[in-house]
């Protein structure tokens, strides 16, 4: 069954990035941006811009009755996930497939509990360096969406449906046959780069060069490696090197989402990063002092908002 209609929920950096790309390639009504009426009114009044171009989106409220979407992309913050899951109810049908581009390792399970794990493909967003300020997004690298089946070693017809659609849309992607490991790898990356840049500097440049920020980032990532082993995930130093290579390709002037949150005075996803690492460390009796320190510093910053 060919994918023709797409629903996106969450107009943060990724939502705008992916939405603006798809909006240029499929009929406007076939790309639905799901949002409540208050947000829609604001989007229409202020407009949304991607690299200086105004985005012409088709907005749909959660209450509006439509035919099911063939593909749903979750691009909200973790704090908004539960509301977003409820908001897409009218978009989900028998053949709907769902991709979650959220950070962390928990969103797929949460969505699957509501709509069925058979509808959810595991996915990870990589390599984007988008910066969102107000209603304007700028980026140099779009990166790509990596996705695959929940069970390692397989590549199903559902994966092929999405891959065929992305190929047609010229949407950068990669199919991975070991997505649990990929999710843990992305968690390791975020635990390092998001938190280190939030605490030590204003952009990726601070962790791309030798120094305290980079050392802290790598130490935080190594704490994830130790926990992944306990969870049956084979993360190694080679994987750490891979993700450091991903970081090296980003624009030094770009900023991870947590740094953007700190600068805007927004509460971050620190519970999704250091919070999870600390909890798993307690579960397995493994010390996580670097993540504890980053957690404490970020929480102290947020307490001053």
């Amino acid at each position: 069954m060919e994918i023709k209609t797409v629903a996106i929920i969450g107009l943060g950096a990724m939502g705008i990035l992916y939405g603006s790309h798809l909006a240029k390639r499929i009929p406007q009504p076939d790309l639905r941006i799901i949002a409540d009426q208050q947000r829609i009114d604001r989007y229409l009044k202020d407009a949304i811009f991607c690299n200086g171009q105004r985005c012409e989106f088709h907005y749909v409220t959660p209450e509006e009755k439509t035919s099911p979407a063939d593909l749903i992309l979750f691009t909200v913050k973790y704090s908004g996930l539960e509301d977003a899951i409820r908001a897409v109810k009218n978009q989900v049908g028998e053949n709907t497939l769902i991709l979650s581009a959220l950070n962390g390792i928990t969103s797929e399970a949460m969505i699957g509990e509501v709509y069925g794990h058979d509808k959810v493909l595991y996915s990870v967003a990589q390599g984007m360096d988008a910066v969102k300020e107000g209603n304007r997004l700028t980026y140099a690298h779009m990166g790509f969406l990596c996705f695959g089946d929940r069970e390692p070693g397989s590549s199903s017809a559902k994966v092929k449906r999405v891959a065929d659609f992305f190929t047609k849309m010229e949407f950068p992607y990669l199919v991975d046959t070991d997505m649990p490991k990929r999710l843990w790898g992305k968690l390791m990356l975020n635990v390092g780069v998001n938190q280190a840049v939030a605490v030590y500097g204003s952009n990726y440049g601070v962790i791309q060069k030798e120094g305290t920020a980079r050392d802290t980032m790598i130490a935080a990532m190594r704490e994830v490696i130790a926990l992944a082993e306990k969870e049956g995930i084979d993360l190694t130093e080679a994987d750490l090197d891979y993700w450091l290579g991903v970081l090296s390709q980003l624009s030094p002037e770009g900023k991870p989402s947590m740094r953007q949150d700190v600068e805007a005075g927004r509460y971050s996803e620190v519970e999704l990063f250091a919070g999870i690492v600390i909890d798993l460390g307690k579960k397995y009796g493994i010390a996580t002092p670097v993540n504890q320190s980053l957690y404490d510093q970020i929480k102290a910053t947020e307490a001053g908002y």
Side-chain angles (χ1 to χ4, degrees), residues 97 99 108 117-118 120-123 146-160 175-183:
L97 295 176
L99 295 180
E108 284 85 0
H117 296 287
D118 60 312
V120 182
L121 298 176
Y122 277 25
S123 60
C146 182
F147 65 95
D149 291 308
R150 183 168 53 139
E151 296 299 325
S154 64
S155 188
S156 65
K158 295 173 184 177
V159 171
K160 187 175 187 306
V175 172
D176 192 333
T177 56
D178 191 352
M179 281 306 301
K181 179 175 179 176
R182 178 76 62 160
L183 256 65

Side-chain angles (χ1 to χ4, degrees), residues 1-7 22 25-27 30-31 68-73 95-99 119 121 147 157-169:
M1 181 178 176
E2 184 181 359
I3 292 174
K4 294 183 178 179
T5 56
V6 179
L22 294 174
R25 292 165 173 82
I26 59 178
D30 290 344
L31 177 64
D70 298 322
L71 177 65
I72 299 175
L73 297 176
N95 297 307
T96 301
L97 295 176
I98 300 172
L99 295 180
K119 295 187 179 302
L121 298 176
F147 65 95
K158 295 173 184 177
V159 171
K160 187 175 187 306
R161 276 180 65 198
V162 177
D164 288 347
F165 173 71
F166 282 165
T167 298
K168 185 177 178 181
M169 294 294 105

Side-chain angles (χ1 to χ4, degrees), residues 101-207:
L102 273 72
N103 290 319
I105 55 175
T106 59
S107 64
E108 284 85 0
M110 292 172 65
I111 297 167
E113 285 295 321
V114 177
Y115 295 118
H117 296 287
D118 60 312
K119 295 187 179 302
V120 182
L121 298 176
Y122 277 25
S123 60
V124 163
Q126 287 184 219
M128 62 176 287
D129 58 5
V131 175
K132 181 174 179 283
E133 295 179 351
N135 61 338
R136 294 179 178 271
L137 180 83
T138 56
Y139 72 93
H141 301 285
M142 182 176 176
F144 60 94
L145 202 56
C146 182
F147 65 95
D149 291 308
R150 183 168 53 139
E151 296 299 325
S154 64
S155 188
S156 65
K158 295 173 184 177
V159 171
K160 187 175 187 306
R161 276 180 65 198
V162 177
D164 288 347
F165 173 71
F166 282 165
T167 298
K168 185 177 178 181
M169 294 294 105
E170 303 173 291
F171 189 104
Y173 74 91
L174 174 70
V175 172
D176 192 333
T177 56
D178 191 352
M179 281 306 301
K181 179 175 179 176
R182 178 76 62 160
L183 256 65
W184 269 85
K186 181 67 184 295
L187 173 67
M188 177 174 66
L189 173 73
N190 280 323
V191 160
V193 66
N194 258 289
Q195 299 184 141
V197 177
V199 168
Y200 287 100
S202 61
N203 53 39
Y204 289 120
V206 74
I207 49 83

Side-chain angles (χ1 to χ4, degrees), residues 75-81 102 257-258 261 266-269:
T75 53
V76 295
K77 288 274 191 182
Y78 181 73
S79 59
L81 179 58
L102 273 72
S257 59
M258 187 175 282
D261 290 337
R266 294 188 298 261
Y267 292 100
S268 72
E269 293 182 310

Side-chain angles (χ1 to χ4, degrees), residues 181 228-229 232-236 239:
K181 179 175 179 176
E229 181 182 1
I233 304 294
D234 184 28
L235 274 185
T236 67
D239 296 303

Side-chain angles (χ1 to χ4, degrees), residues 16-17 20 49-55 136-141:
I16 295 173
L17 181 62
S20 65
F49 297 87
C50 183
N51 277 353
Q53 264 191 321
R54 181 178 177 135
C55 299
R136 294 179 178 271
L137 180 83
T138 56
Y139 72 93
H141 301 285

